Amino acid sequence: MIISWYRQKVKDFGLPAATWALWRVAWGRAYVIACNALLPSRLECPCCGWRGRRLFDYVEMGYTVRSVSCPGCDSHARHRAFFLWLRNQYRIDQKSGTALVFAPERALAQIWESAPGLRICKIDIEQARGVDVIGDIMQLPFAGESASLVWCHHVLDQVQDDRRALAELRRVLKSATGDLIISVGESAEPQTREFGFSDKALSGNRRAYGADFAGRLRAAGFSVQVVNSGLTEADKRQYAVDEERFYVCRKT
Ligand SMILES: [Zn+2]
């Protein structure tokens, strides 16, 4: 995984910058591994059961965020919050029908397997491990009203025409009972800011969503329920999650 990450960075930023980032990753990981070997555990990852003192840092070109990703499954805070919400509140194990999972996250593989009644279809724009269908979210190869659940997190940020993508998600979702569970990276700005290009330094994002995101969902023909992780402060500390906001939507 680290090799494919490095190759992509070389492609996007050139050899010297990518090699410097790789060195920061390697040094940071060695430090975290030493901390976890020497100090008592205080964190737990619900996605894979890992326990330890400190998570791996998240290294991007130009900045580092400390103690972010699980050494066992690479989960970030939002994956851990999603996992707990899907298991404890949404009761994913009791759901049935077809679930379309966009850009499937390795950290959530186990929670999808825990839902025997759901037929999981994992979709991505390009070939990746575990993907069932290669497809463009703006033009999906699925019949209308075919999905009981659509899972789509931090995907629209990178899509060229997000309104067209939302129209496609609405088309494939079952009326009345189908849930679209969605989130994007949201800034504190009131309005979404379009970049006009794919910003490689921001994971290829084409826009920074603002507080108008829920309005965009409603304009696309969805009722919108704002959800947060529902965790206690003690749980948040134990699982290293912040307040994660996401949306459960149905067709109107
Ligand atoms: Zn984990």
Side-chain angles (χ1 to χ4, degrees):
M1 214 166 99
I2 192 80
I3 292 169
S4 59
W5 177 89
Y6 177 63
R7 277 202 192 118
Q8 190 60 47
K9 295 295 180 210
V10 170
K11 206 167 122 196
D12 292 341
F13 301 100
L15 191 65
T19 305
W20 172 236
L22 182 66
W23 165 250
R24 281 160 51 218
V25 170
W27 173 249
R29 291 198 169 195
Y31 173 72
V32 170
I33 289 166
C35 282
N36 288 331
L38 297 170
L39 299 171
S41 300
R42 64 178 179 191
L43 300 175
E44 181 181 345
C45 173
C47 308
C48 71
W50 173 90
R51 285 165 187 268
R53 180 73 172 195
R54 199 184 154 104
L55 303 162
F56 283 151
D57 298 340
Y58 178 71
V59 175
E60 255 303 344
M61 309 308 289
Y63 67 93
T64 300
V65 188
R66 301 286 173 208
S67 196
V68 171
S69 66
C70 170
C73 70
D74 201 32
S75 69
H76 287 207
R78 72 170 186 273
H79 305 129
R80 295 187 287 274
F82 288 155
F83 184 100
L84 292 164
W85 181 83
L86 282 167
R87 187 185 67 189
N88 301 341
Q89 296 190 44
Y90 191 66
R91 296 306 309 264
I92 191 76
D93 59 325
Q94 296 177 6
K95 303 291 179 184
S96 59
T98 297
L100 304 181
V101 176
F102 286 88
E105 302 104 329
R106 177 182 156 215
L108 296 181
Q110 213 179 317
I111 196 76
W112 300 124
E113 284 166 18
S114 74
L118 269 183
R119 199 165 45 254
I120 307 289
C121 180
K122 296 179 177 176
I123 306 137
D124 212 330
I125 189 78
E126 56 191 27
Q127 184 63 57
R129 191 171 53 180
V131 167
D132 303 307
V133 173
I134 299 170
D136 184 344
I137 196 168
M138 294 185 292
Q139 196 172 7
L140 290 171
F142 303 112
E145 306 256 334
S146 56
S148 304
L149 170 64
V150 174
W151 182 260
C152 182
H153 295 274
H154 290 237
V155 171
L156 289 189
D157 319 56
Q158 297 164 12
V159 171
Q160 192 156 12
D161 185 344
D162 61 339
R163 287 184 173 85
R164 193 168 151 200
L166 283 171
E168 271 296 83
L169 297 182
R170 191 176 185 282
R171 181 182 68 79
V172 299
L173 193 65
K174 278 188 194 302
S175 293
T177 56
D179 289 330
L180 164 66
I181 306 178
I182 190 164
S183 68
V184 292
E186 285 182 73
S187 75
E189 299 293 319
Q191 298 291 328
T192 295
R193 185 164 51 89
E194 298 285 342
F195 302 157
F197 65 98
S198 167
D199 190 340
K200 301 283 188 212
L202 292 174
S203 309
N205 287 357
R206 291 177 172 272
R207 62 190 63 81
Y209 284 102
D212 58 341
F213 179 62
R216 287 188 173 215
L217 294 171
R218 290 189 192 97
F222 293 104
S223 66
V224 179
Q225 184 195 353
V226 183
V227 181
N228 62 40
S229 65
L231 297 172
T232 64
E233 290 305 314
D235 284 344
K236 285 185 203 165
R237 275 195 301 278
Q238 181 183 358
Y239 300 120
V241 301
D242 301 316
E243 207 44 76
E244 294 293 328
R245 185 169 44 171
F246 52 102
Y247 302 89
V248 178
C249 308
R250 287 199 168 168
K251 280 185 179 185
T252 52

